[in-house]
Amino acid sequence: MLHIEHFSKSYGTKKAVDDLSLSIAPGEIYGFIGHNGAGKTTTLKACCGILQGDCGRITVGGLSMQEDPLGCKRLMAYIPDNPDLYDFLSGIKYLNFVADVYGVPADLRAERIRLYADRFELTKDLASPISAYSHGMKQKLAIVAAWLHSPRLIIMDEPFVGLDPRAAHILKGMMREHCDGGGAIFFSTHVLEVAEKLCDKVAIIQRGRLIAAGPMDEVKGDGSLESVFLELAGDTSLGGQG
Amino acid sequence: MKTLSLLIGLRLREMFSSLLRGPSRGGKRRSPVVMVLLALLLVYVAAVFMFLFFSVFLVLWIALEGAGLELSFFFGIAGLLTVALCVFGSVLATQSALYQARDNEQLLSMPLSPTLIMLSRMIFLLLINTAFAAVVAVPAFVVYLMLGRPGLLSALGFILFFILLSVLALAISCLLGWLVALVTARMKHKNVFSLIFMVLFLILYFVGMGALSAGLESMEMNIQPLVEAISPYLAVFLWVGRALLYGDVLAALLFLLVFAVVVGCAFLFLSRTYLRILTTNRGSAQYTYRERASKQCSATGALVKKEISHFVGNATYMLNEGLGLLFAVGISIYFLVQRDVVLSVLHSMGLASASSVLVAGVLSLCASMVIISAPSVSLEGKNVWIAQSLPLSGGQVLCAKAYAHILIASPFFLLASVLCAIACGAGPGELLGILLLPLSCNVFCAFLGVTMNILFPKLDWLNEAYAVKSGAAVMLTMFGMMLICGLQVVLLLVLAILGLPALVVMLLPSALFLGLSAALRAYLNGAGARRFSSL
């Protein structure tokens, strides 16, 4: 579903992502973990076509992001780490805007808005302007908007930040449901316990380089994901300090 | 004091970063050529306004001196114009800068006194007010130096007077801003209230300016009644005139007393209420959601609807970039009502046969003041990721901004054109020209605005009003269009005087505008789209 081959991106002299390659197959929830500034957001944004890489190739559903960005974007949805949405629109207007852009028929969108907004108990607030929403409500709205056109690939940057425990639980269920239906999810998180329980595969990035990737059981082995992550991260960063 | 200067520095960095730095993520500095062009633009804008005020003050001084009247009236008018321009220019910006800045909560969470935060914002606003005041004060000062020949002390007193006036105007703006914040706190349609408030303010301003201008026109004949009628309302400013002209210490003290009372009361009042307004959650207006069948529309249609929602949802945006719409409709109604007067004036000038051409030219001048699309890229702000991550081409996003501009403005120009055509008794050919010229100018302005904004975007604003009011794209589009349309009116007149048929005279610039619009549209779909995707 998503293939990243030898992707690199620099900001000035700083290499944010260095020769990163990984693949996500349909049906997989793929976790992406790393410390702050490791290159997670840069990679996720490049996968959505928001950022241009310096080199490498990204394909979504067999389409090249460089050659057919619109075709790729039609297959996917993106939820950023900080859901800055159009404050001047109401929740329902924002959802209709996204549905129009993806060409979701009126009856289908109504059904899906009802389904997902009800799940997050957001329905009664849909008429309110987004400017009146809390961070969590914006996050829920961004999630509903992402699911609205039934994308094959959903890319999320720290999706659980700002969500209450109930909403986080619902989102986890929706992620599983989406992948069981043949979709794929690629998301970053700092909550390693969630990643460990939820993800089929995981990739660990450090200073722009992929240091581990594969099925969860293989990456964590007999330990926990947290201990593996700290061990892998500690080998280099603590060594540098010492 | 150190904290205050830090906070003011923060505001200044925000303001200058858009001019000094480009739109890219790395924040690369703009090239010297662009910087020079922007500086030249600022000089041009200031010069145009200063020249206008200089003419007014020159006529006023000569008329007052000729009639042997008190010259302190000169200072009265200059003071009034300064305060009016400052308040009109900054009232909504003051309200949003004081009460709606994005970093209010962050600063309040720091060990900073709320009064200090408020003061830093007020001092920053004072800098803006002083810039507005300078537009009036510099020409008044030049006239005073030329004709009044003041001593050094009086000259310095004049400069001090105008600095104090900008402080006074700031105090009034802050109080009005507080009033707007208080009244709109729980309103569902804040923008409607703000719009009505500003339109009333605007009408008052222009009625006042109109009356003053009419008074100035008849000055040489009989200025005394005008002076007698207005003087009682200008007492505060007249005291300054007396202090500067005759060294009247009592008058100076009276002015300083009024100044201290107004500014002191405003500061005390605002500092006591500032924290309460920022931290009291009065609850937002209640909205009830009822599921309604929605109609599916195209992606471009959705983008256009989104742009229109943004425009009508923001009073500052509507007033600053849509003012020409009010002018167009106002002028056309005036023309229809005062048809005989206007036509007789044109007849006396030998331009009766060119009335339809002139009308079309004036309406296209109004169209040049409608710059809805000019801040539209900057207004994406932190939301730019949405359009970039959706399956939309950059050209689609940018052109939709121009289409929204055209859709919003066209009904106003259609109405104004029809009213004007009726007023000047235009035949079918002339009617076509009167319709086509303002509309084509509007189309060109729409595409030019987006082009300027994609070249000079400012996405990292803390306050939306900043993107709307003072972005480089807004300035470039507004004054560029005014220049183009001014030249176009001259061209129209020349062609009409040469005896070309009215329709041909109007079709030529229309075709030019549409041709240029097509070229800009092609740019937006090509290089412009690439710039958008790299924002």
Side-chain angles (χ1 to χ4, degrees):
Chain A
M1 177 63 68
L2 172 69
H3 295 282
I4 308 171
E5 293 164 30
H6 306 293
F7 173 74
S8 294
K9 170 75 184 171
S10 298
Y11 295 113
T13 53
K14 192 193 173 217
K15 202 129 199 173
V17 182
D18 188 6
D19 195 31
L20 186 142
S21 297
L22 57 85
S23 287
I24 298 165
E28 282 179 356
I29 300 182
Y30 209 121
F32 197 33
I33 59 178
H35 54 71
N36 295 329
K40 300 188 296 292
T41 299
T42 299
T43 307
L44 295 181
K45 281 186 173 176
C47 292
C48 308
I50 295 177
L51 263 182
Q52 304 289 321
D54 300 331
C55 59
R57 182 178 159 81
I58 295 171
T59 59
V60 178
L63 302 172
S64 162
M65 183 56 84
Q66 285 84 355
E67 286 151 26
D68 186 5
L70 298 193
C72 291
K73 288 175 186 178
R74 280 190 197 100
L75 301 176
M76 60 197 279
Y78 170 61
I79 302 173
D81 53 347
N82 197 353
D84 288 305
L85 306 175
Y86 297 126
D87 278 351
F88 52 89
L89 294 180
S90 63
I92 187 67
K93 281 186 179 168
Y94 178 70
L95 293 177
N96 276 319
F97 165 74
V98 174
D100 281 335
V101 169
Y102 282 103
V104 182
D107 51 345
L108 194 58
R109 82 173 64 164
E111 189 188 313
R112 287 180 185 162
I113 288 172
R114 204 179 307 127
L115 172 70
Y116 296 124
D118 278 350
R119 276 192 193 177
F120 285 110
E121 296 179 329
L122 197 64
T123 309
K124 65 177 174 25
D125 297 304
L126 285 179
S128 301
I130 294 173
S131 56
Y133 280 26
S134 67
H135 181 93
M137 286 163 77
K138 284 184 187 174
Q139 185 75 0
K140 288 175 188 176
L141 189 69
I143 293 167
V144 175
W147 254 260
L148 205 51
H149 66 285
S150 292
R152 286 166 64 189
L153 170 69
I154 300 176
I155 294 177
M156 297 186 281
D157 199 352
E158 301 285 351
F160 299 104
V161 174
L163 290 183
D164 57 63
R166 184 182 173 279
H169 177 75
I170 291 167
L171 176 60
K172 284 181 239 171
M174 282 169 66
M175 288 165 72
R176 190 74 270 167
E177 197 179 288
H178 176 77
C179 292
D180 289 347
I185 285 177
F186 185 33
F187 79 106
S188 71
T189 184
H190 287 298
V191 190
L192 300 183
E193 292 82 1
V194 170
E196 191 171 342
K197 284 180 189 163
L198 195 62
C199 299
D200 303 306
K201 286 185 176 173
V202 66
I204 301 174
I205 184 171
Q206 188 180 38
R207 291 178 189 160
R209 294 190 73 89
L210 208 59
I211 54 172
M216 181 61 76
D217 292 339
E218 279 181 24
V219 171
K220 73 184 177 81
D222 295 332
S224 67
L225 183 60
E226 186 180 34
S227 59
V228 172
F229 175 74
L230 291 175
E231 191 184 326
L232 286 171
D235 273 349
T236 47
S237 62
L238 292 178
Q241 284 168 24
Chain B
M1 201 63 196
K2 193 180 168 191
T3 318
L4 184 64
S5 59
L6 273 174
L7 290 172
I8 295 167
L10 199 67
R11 300 273 81 77
L12 287 174
R13 269 198 294 278
E14 183 199 349
M15 187 173 82
F16 286 113
S17 68
S18 70
L19 292 172
L20 298 174
R21 298 197 177 273
S24 66
R25 279 190 172 82
K28 234 170 82 178
R29 281 186 85 90
R30 286 195 195 283
S31 75
V33 179
V34 174
M35 297 288 293
V36 169
L37 282 174
L38 287 173
L40 283 175
L41 174 77
L42 276 177
V43 172
Y44 161 67
V45 172
V48 166
F49 279 101
M50 284 181 180
F51 179 74
L52 282 174
F53 282 111
F54 176 77
S55 319
V56 169
F57 291 132
L58 195 66
V59 171
L60 179 63
W61 187 285
I62 292 168
L64 286 171
E65 212 168 32
L69 293 169
E70 266 228 37
L71 285 167
S72 54
F73 187 73
F74 172 85
F75 295 91
I77 293 294
L80 179 73
L81 284 178
T82 305
V83 172
L85 188 73
C86 287
V87 173
F88 173 66
S90 66
V91 63
L92 281 187
T94 302
Q95 188 249 338
S96 53
L98 280 179
Y99 300 108
Q100 294 171 348
R102 274 196 205 166
D103 59 347
N104 268 346
E105 288 184 1
Q106 195 186 353
L107 292 178
L108 281 176
S109 72
M110 294 177 177
L112 296 169
S113 135
T115 307
L116 201 68
I117 298 170
M118 187 192 80
L119 194 63
S120 73
R121 298 203 188 286
M122 286 176 83
I123 291 174
F124 173 70
L125 287 165
L126 180 65
L127 292 176
I128 296 175
N129 263 16
T130 309
F132 274 115
V135 172
V136 183
V138 171
F141 189 55
V142 172
V143 172
Y144 181 44
L145 285 181
M146 277 167 53
L147 304 176
R149 302 187 185 285
L152 181 65
L153 204 62
S154 293
L156 290 175
F158 186 96
I159 294 167
L160 179 68
F161 168 51
F162 274 91
I163 292 171
L164 293 180
L165 277 188
S166 53
V167 178
L168 190 70
L170 176 68
I172 297 169
S173 298
C174 287
L175 287 172
L176 288 173
W178 169 83
L179 189 71
V180 174
L182 188 77
V183 175
T184 58
R186 281 193 59 124
M187 269 190 180
K188 264 190 187 178
H189 303 290
K190 292 177 186 186
N191 55 318
V192 176
F193 173 82
S194 302
L195 187 69
I196 292 170
F197 177 82
M198 281 306 290
V199 167
L200 286 177
F201 200 88
L202 193 69
I203 289 170
L204 198 71
Y205 181 79
F206 280 105
V207 167
M209 285 294 283
L212 181 68
S213 159
L216 287 173
E217 277 172 23
S218 61
M219 255 180 206
E220 286 179 19
M221 288 178 283
N222 195 3
I223 191 173
Q224 196 152 0
L226 179 77
V227 174
E228 283 169 3
I230 304 179
S231 289
Y233 303 104
L234 302 176
V236 178
F237 307 125
L238 295 179
W239 290 332
V240 179
R242 283 183 200 129
L244 293 175
L245 290 167
Y246 316 119
D248 188 339
V249 178
L250 182 66
L253 288 175
L254 279 172
F255 171 76
L256 287 175
L257 181 71
V258 171
F259 170 82
V261 168
V262 174
V263 174
C265 286
F267 184 76
L268 273 179
F269 178 70
L270 290 170
S271 62
R272 276 164 195 261
T273 56
Y274 190 61
L275 185 63
R276 190 153 45 87
I277 290 180
L278 290 190
T279 56
T280 305
N281 187 354
R282 291 160 64 87
S284 53
Q286 295 299 309
Y287 293 82
T288 311
Y289 174 65
R290 286 189 193 86
E291 193 180 312
R292 292 194 189 100
S294 61
K295 283 183 187 166
Q296 190 187 344
C297 70
S298 66
T300 303
L303 284 167
V304 171
K305 277 203 296 195
K306 187 260 289 181
E307 293 297 329
I308 293 174
S309 296
H310 202 167
F311 179 72
V312 298
N314 184 330
T316 311
Y317 191 6
M318 280 192 276
L319 273 165
N320 281 276
E321 326 300 36
L323 203 59
L325 300 175
L326 290 180
F327 284 147
V329 175
I331 286 170
S332 61
I333 291 172
Y334 178 81
F335 186 25
L336 195 64
V337 175
Q338 299 285 333
R339 178 178 181 274
D340 295 336
V341 178
V342 177
L343 287 179
S344 69
V345 170
L346 289 177
H347 190 76
S348 67
M349 293 165 75
L351 292 169
S353 59
S355 62
S356 58
V357 174
L358 266 178
V359 158
V362 169
L363 288 182
S364 60
L365 263 176
C366 292
S368 75
M369 294 165 70
V370 180
I371 48 168
I372 297 164
S373 62
S376 58
V377 177
S378 297
L379 284 171
E380 290 284 339
K382 288 186 175 177
N383 297 328
V384 73
W385 70 270
I386 300 176
Q388 287 175 333
S389 68
L390 291 174
L392 298 163
S393 69
Q396 215 174 354
V397 176
L398 296 176
C399 287
K401 293 176 186 299
Y403 300 153
H405 173 131
I406 295 165
L407 271 177
I408 292 165
S410 295
F412 289 88
F413 286 110
L414 275 174
L415 173 70
S417 300
V418 169
L419 291 180
C420 286
I422 294 169
C424 64
E430 285 175 318
L431 171 67
L432 180 68
I434 296 173
L435 285 171
L436 202 58
L437 187 55
L439 285 177
S440 58
C441 180
N442 178 43
V443 170
F444 174 64
C445 192
F447 282 103
L448 182 71
V450 185
T451 305
M452 286 297 138
N453 207 191
I454 196 63
L455 291 171
F456 300 97
K458 162 78 178 161
L459 299 171
D460 55 349
W461 38 263
L462 288 177
N463 187 331
E464 207 171 59
Y466 180 75
V468 167
K469 287 172 87 85
S470 47
V474 171
M475 298 286 177
L476 282 166
T477 308
M478 181 163 60
F479 292 100
M481 279 306 295
M482 279 184 180
L483 188 68
I484 290 168
C485 287
L487 291 173
Q488 177 222 214
V489 171
V490 175
L491 177 75
L492 286 173
L493 277 175
V494 170
L495 291 174
I497 289 164
L498 285 175
L500 282 172
L503 180 61
V504 176
V505 171
M506 289 184 274
L507 281 183
L508 280 174
S510 301
L512 191 64
F513 278 136
L514 292 176
L516 288 170
S517 303
L520 291 177
R521 187 176 178 279
Y523 169 79
L524 292 177
N525 277 308
R530 286 193 291 280
R531 283 184 79 93
F532 182 77
S533 58
S534 65
L535 284 177

